[in-house]
């Protein structure tokens, strides 16, 4: 049995097979609904169900709360239609998404940028034209079929010029993939990848000033956005807040400060949260999203792009929309969910 899904207000329509997740069908039809992990964990794909009914597969309770469900929200990544659906989504791309491809990639270089961050450069096949929006991610397909997601940290034009993709990988203790990256992975190793994926990208038709917000390696997609903005000559004001527990977590601090020399509309505010590190730090301290709120109590005329730890993304979205007047549709996020995060929360 096949069901029809209509997305308002764009009036995009696609079909979903019985037992298939709404998001899976949307991606196959090159329609960009909002999403992040595709695994029922981050809540980025939360979408309003206008009409119809769905059955949810396994997901974390934090991703779709009882209040969310009562307000008509669904998780498209694990929601399977029971009849025809009408959804409300304000971030469906106005043009078709880039096609998602499975490709072999070769490890070009591994650079230890800090004690727990590796910069991984991947070489694409010479014959492969890999197009994506700055801010999107790829998935590695491991030998056992499991997947690991990483945002591309370089702008699309550099991939077109060099055939390479840059990833920033934080070491997760006992992590199946990151232990390999930090331990036994060698240059020239071949990996299987799929992409581009994700709905985190710059809304270029807007002229609003922007707040960029990152924690840890959430900087990776922000770096891609900044490089793309510079390449395109976009002059919209940008305030970039980078939260860290310790100074070394700003692992490309010098890169950001160098960008400011050629991007006068870019303002960089590093924020330190670890109390033990604060005595040696004379800059901003506390929760990174609180620094934004202190500087911008009224965000009604802004767009926000937030990447990093789920608690930071969730707190920023909640507080910016309820306390700082940010329109809900102007908050764009990529929540970095690890396998450990999933294991520490009970699924539904």
């Amino acid at each position: 049995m096949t069901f029809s899904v209509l997305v308002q207000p764009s009036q995009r329509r696609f079909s979903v097979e019985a037992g298939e997740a709404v998001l899976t069908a949307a991606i196959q039809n090159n329609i960009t609904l909002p999403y992040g992990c595709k695994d029922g964990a981050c809540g980025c794909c939360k979408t309003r169900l206008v009409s119809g009914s769905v059955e949810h597969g396994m997901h974390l309770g934090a991703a779709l709360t009882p209040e969310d469900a009562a307000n008509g929200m669904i998780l498209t990544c694990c929601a399977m239609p029971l009849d025809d659906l009408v959804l409300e989504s304000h971030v469906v791309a106005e043009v078709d998404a880039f096609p998602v491809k499975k490709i072999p990639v070769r490890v070009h270089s591994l650079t230890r940028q800090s004690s727990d961050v590796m910069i991984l450069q991947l070489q694409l096949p010479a014959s492969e034209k890999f197009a994506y929006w700055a801010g999107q991610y790829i998935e590695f397909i491991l030998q056992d079929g499991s997947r690991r997601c990483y945002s591309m940290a370089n702008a699309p034009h550099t991939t077109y010029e060099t055939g390479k993709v840059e990833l920033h990988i934080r070491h997760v203790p006992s992590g199946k993939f990151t232990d390999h990256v930090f331990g036994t992975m060698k240059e020239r190793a071949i990996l299987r990848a799929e992409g581009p994926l994700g709905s985190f990208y710059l809304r270029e038709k807007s002229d609003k000033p922007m707040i960029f917000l990152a924690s840890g390696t959430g900087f990776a997609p922000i770096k891609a956005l900044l490089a793309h903005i510079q390449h395109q000559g976009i002059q919209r004001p940008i305030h970039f807040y980078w939260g860290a527990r310790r100074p070394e977590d700003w692992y490309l601090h010098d890169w950001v400060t160098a960008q400011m020399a050629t991007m006068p509309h870019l303002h960089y505010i590093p924020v330190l949260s670890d109390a033990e590190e604060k005595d040696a730090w004379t800059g901003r301290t506390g929760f990174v999203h609180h620094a934004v709120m202190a500087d911008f109590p009224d965000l009604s005329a802004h767009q926000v792009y937030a990447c990093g730890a789920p608690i930071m993304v969730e707190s920023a979205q909640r507080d910016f929309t309820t306390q700082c007047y940010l329109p809900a549709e102007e908050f764009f996020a990529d929540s970095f969910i690890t396998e450990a995060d999933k294991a520490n929360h009970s699924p539904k």
Side-chain angles (χ1 to χ4, degrees):
M1 184 178 296
T2 301
F3 301 104
S4 172
V5 178
L6 174 65
V7 185
Q8 297 176 340
S10 67
Q11 302 303 306
R12 303 292 294 276
R13 190 184 294 272
F14 60 97
S15 297
V16 186
E17 298 295 326
E20 182 181 29
V22 171
L23 179 61
T24 301
I27 292 173
Q28 290 174 349
N29 284 274
N30 287 342
I31 294 176
T32 306
L33 294 175
Y35 70 97
C37 70
K38 298 195 303 173
D39 203 22
C42 72
C44 288
C45 70
K46 202 179 300 178
T47 300
R48 185 174 303 282
L49 179 63
V50 178
S51 67
S53 57
V54 302
E55 178 181 28
H56 278 96
M58 293 289 287
H59 62 282
L60 299 188
L64 187 73
T65 66
E67 182 180 5
D68 290 331
N71 289 330
M73 307 302 287
I74 64 170
L75 297 176
T76 60
C77 72
C78 57
M80 295 164 284
L82 298 176
D83 48 25
D84 292 343
L85 307 179
V86 176
L87 306 179
E88 180 184 314
S89 174
H90 293 282
V91 293
V92 176
E94 294 182 10
V95 296
D96 284 347
F98 295 114
V100 177
K101 304 177 180 180
K102 289 183 180 178
I103 53 175
V105 295
R106 177 168 54 84
V107 176
H108 176 75
S109 64
L110 294 143
T111 304
R112 179 83 64 116
Q113 196 65 32
S114 73
S115 62
D116 63 351
V117 174
M118 188 79 76
I119 294 184
L120 178 62
Q121 291 274 354
L122 301 174
Q123 182 72 55
L124 300 171
S127 60
E128 188 64 56
K129 298 300 181 184
F130 186 68
Y132 60 94
W133 287 309
Q136 290 190 290
Y137 68 87
I138 61 171
E139 284 186 340
F140 289 117
I141 306 171
L142 307 188
Q143 290 186 350
D144 63 359
S146 60
R147 293 170 176 251
R148 296 296 185 271
C149 308
Y150 294 96
S151 296
M152 291 169 280
N154 58 310
H157 74 275
T158 62
T159 294
Y160 181 80
E161 294 166 357
T162 67
K164 295 183 179 66
V165 166
E166 175 185 321
L167 309 178
H168 299 173
I169 299 179
R170 181 176 66 86
H171 187 213
V172 178
S174 301
K176 180 190 299 184
F177 183 69
T178 64
D179 275 358
H180 175 49
V181 172
F182 280 77
T184 57
M185 181 175 283
K186 304 295 184 184
E187 291 182 2
R188 303 192 66 80
I190 301 297
L191 304 170
R192 289 191 301 154
E194 184 175 27
L197 299 164
S199 59
F200 184 80
Y201 57 87
L202 186 68
R203 274 55 180 181
E204 295 190 34
K205 290 190 175 182
S206 173
D207 61 359
K208 290 185 175 183
M210 297 175 288
I211 304 294
F212 287 177
L213 185 62
S215 64
T217 51
F219 172 65
I222 295 294
K223 179 176 179 288
L225 290 182
L226 291 173
H228 175 72
I229 286 169
Q230 183 184 39
H231 178 70
Q232 294 295 108
I234 297 170
Q235 298 297 312
R236 294 162 61 186
I238 304 166
H239 285 77
F240 169 43
Y241 294 77
W242 192 358
R245 297 190 309 274
R246 52 192 180 163
E248 76 166 45
D249 293 338
W250 298 309
Y251 56 90
L252 283 177
H253 174 84
D254 291 344
W255 185 92
V256 182
T257 55
Q259 290 298 108
M260 294 173 65
T262 56
M263 298 176 68
H265 54 293
L266 170 63
H267 307 275
Y268 172 42
I269 306 95
V271 182
L272 195 67
S273 64
D274 193 327
E276 295 182 1
E277 300 279 358
K278 288 178 182 177
D279 289 342
W281 171 248
T282 58
R284 303 288 289 273
T285 60
F287 293 131
V288 64
H289 84 285
H290 284 174
V292 176
M293 296 172 71
D295 294 346
F296 294 92
D298 185 350
L299 289 168
S300 59
H302 287 73
Q303 286 186 331
V304 173
Y305 295 81
C307 307
I311 189 169
M312 183 277 287
V313 172
E314 294 164 8
S315 299
Q317 183 174 32
R318 180 193 65 238
D319 292 349
F320 292 174
T321 55
T322 61
Q323 299 181 40
C324 298
Y325 314 106
L326 178 74
E329 65 272 15
E330 298 289 17
F331 185 89
F332 309 101
D334 190 358
S335 187
F336 285 20
I337 303 285
T338 67
E339 293 302 309
D341 292 331
K342 298 174 188 177
N344 291 332
H345 293 82
S346 298
K348 289 189 173 183

